[in-house]
Amino acid sequence: MPNLVFYIGVSSAPYVYGGFRLLRGSSTVVAPTNSTDGNGAYDYGAGFPSSGSIQFGSRHGGHHIDTPATTSATTYKFQAMNYTTGRTFRVNHAGGSSSIVAMEIAQ
C-alpha cells in the first residue's frame, strides 16, 4: 500500500496535471487512468479559467494486489509523472515522507 506525499504547482498557467506509476522491476503494473489533458492520463490535476498561480498538495494512497508469478526477489517502485512542461511535481516536499508497505500472502 502506498502512502506518497506530493505537491504540484505552476505559475502563469491555467492548469497542472501529474500522476504516479507503480512498477515491478521495469514493468508497469499500475498507471494513471483519468481523463487526458493532451499529454496523457493523470491521477491529480487542478485548473482555473485564467492564468495564475496554482498549488495543490496531498497524499496518494491506495492498494494493489499483484501476482508476479515468481519466487525470486521482486522490486517495486513508484515514479512521479508530470504531464505538462513548465510545471512542478515534487514528492516528499518540505520534509514529507512516503512509504510502501508490501505483504507476501501464502497460497
Side-chain angles (χ1 to χ4, degrees):
M1 294 182 284
N3 179 21
L4 307 170
V5 179
F6 71 95
Y7 160 90
I8 54 179
V10 64
S11 59
S12 302
Y15 63 91
V16 60
Y17 296 97
F20 292 96
R21 175 172 48 201
L22 171 64
L23 291 102
R24 179 188 342 104
S26 60
S27 300
T28 300
V29 177
V30 177
T33 58
N34 284 345
S35 301
T36 60
D37 67 350
N39 293 308
Y42 59 90
D43 289 314
Y44 299 95
F48 294 92
S50 62
S51 295
S53 180
I54 301 170
Q55 296 181 2
F56 177 76
S58 189
R59 287 186 177 271
H60 177 78
H63 67 276
H64 176 75
I65 298 174
D66 188 35
T67 53
T70 183
T71 56
S72 300
T74 305
T75 301
Y76 289 92
K77 65 181 175 181
F78 277 90
Q79 290 180 336
M81 300 178 296
N82 189 352
Y83 283 103
T84 314
T85 60
R87 279 36 170 202
T88 301
F89 194 118
R90 295 183 179 136
V91 178
N92 297 337
H93 178 64
S97 64
S98 299
S99 62
I100 300 173
V101 176
M103 293 183 280
E104 182 174 359
I105 301 171
Q107 294 185 1

